[in-house]
Amino acid sequence: MTIYLVRHGESVDDIEDCYGGIADFPLTEAGRNTAHDLSSRLASHGITRIYTSPYKRAHETATIISKDLACKPTVVDDLRERNSYGVLSGVTKAQAKEIFGHVLARVKGKPGDFYSTELLPGAEPLDLFNSRVRTAFDSIVADADGTAVICIVTHGNVTRSVYSEILHVSGKVGLDLLAITVLEYVPPKLTIVSQEGVQVAPVS
């Protein structure tokens, strides 16, 4: 089985400088345009099933991609983004400094960083997040059994979790919008075939 693991396109929180996470922002016009471009590129790759996070930015990306593939996206709830930001979710970073300055003052690193052990109030613990991503991935593979090529549209931290917990890649994974990792799954082995818009740096 070949798996196209795709991060969603540009969403409103990206251009409004908000803390995203579980905040359910839609794609921007630019995000929709680049998703259409990606759809044209993927049309000849033999994808017959698409799985997506329920959040608007991923679901809309998957819906656009699916139009050139003649298959409807299947929503997998556990593909949703991590609640990295807790009480900061959906708030602009400027507003967060004003409203939650007392919270940010206690954070030593970057708020909501996947690779940090710091947890913001109300945020999802990393071990629980990684567990549900594994559950989602395993359920998709089981559902798609016998399918030659599938596509999974999800979020940055879900992709990071796949890299760290399933692919066992050591290092910090940086992702462009619409980053693509092509995986080959021959049970029980999962290997990376190619990467686009993915950067891996040593963990400092």
Side-chain angles (χ1 to χ4, degrees), residues 76 81 146:
V76 178
E81 181 59 292

Side-chain angles (χ1 to χ4, degrees), residues 70-177:
C71 58
K72 293 183 179 179
T74 298
V75 174
V76 178
D77 190 58
D78 280 338
L79 285 176
R80 67 191 184 278
E81 181 59 292
R82 181 188 179 195
N83 178 6
S84 301
Y85 304 112
V87 295
L88 304 181
S89 302
V91 178
T92 68
K93 292 176 183 177
Q95 289 173 326
K97 288 181 181 178
E98 294 179 11
I99 303 170
F100 296 109
H102 60 291
V103 173
L104 291 169
R106 298 198 299 267
V107 178
K108 295 178 181 178
K110 181 181 177 183
D113 184 3
F114 179 85
Y115 299 100
S116 172
T117 57
E118 294 182 297
L119 195 65
L120 291 166
E124 181 179 15
L126 184 58
D127 60 339
L128 296 182
F129 172 69
N130 284 332
S131 177
R132 72 166 167 85
V133 171
R134 182 74 205 217
T135 297
F137 192 87
D138 288 347
S139 70
I140 288 169
V141 168
D143 182 75
D145 184 35
T147 306
V149 190
I150 69 172
C151 179
I152 299 173
V153 182
T154 187
H155 305 269
N157 284 330
V158 174
T159 304
R160 291 184 179 95
S161 181
V162 170
Y163 266 79
S164 66
E165 302 301 308
I166 300 176
L167 294 168
H168 304 294
V169 172
S170 59
K172 291 186 176 182
V173 176
L175 299 162
D176 296 338
L177 293 168

Side-chain angles (χ1 to χ4, degrees), residues 5 7 14 29 31 34 45 58-59 71 83-84 140 153 166 195:
L5 181 63
R7 185 188 181 191
D14 295 315
E29 188 63 31
T34 53
H45 288 245
H59 191 276
C71 58
N83 178 6
S84 301
I140 288 169
V153 182
I166 300 176
Q195 298 164 305

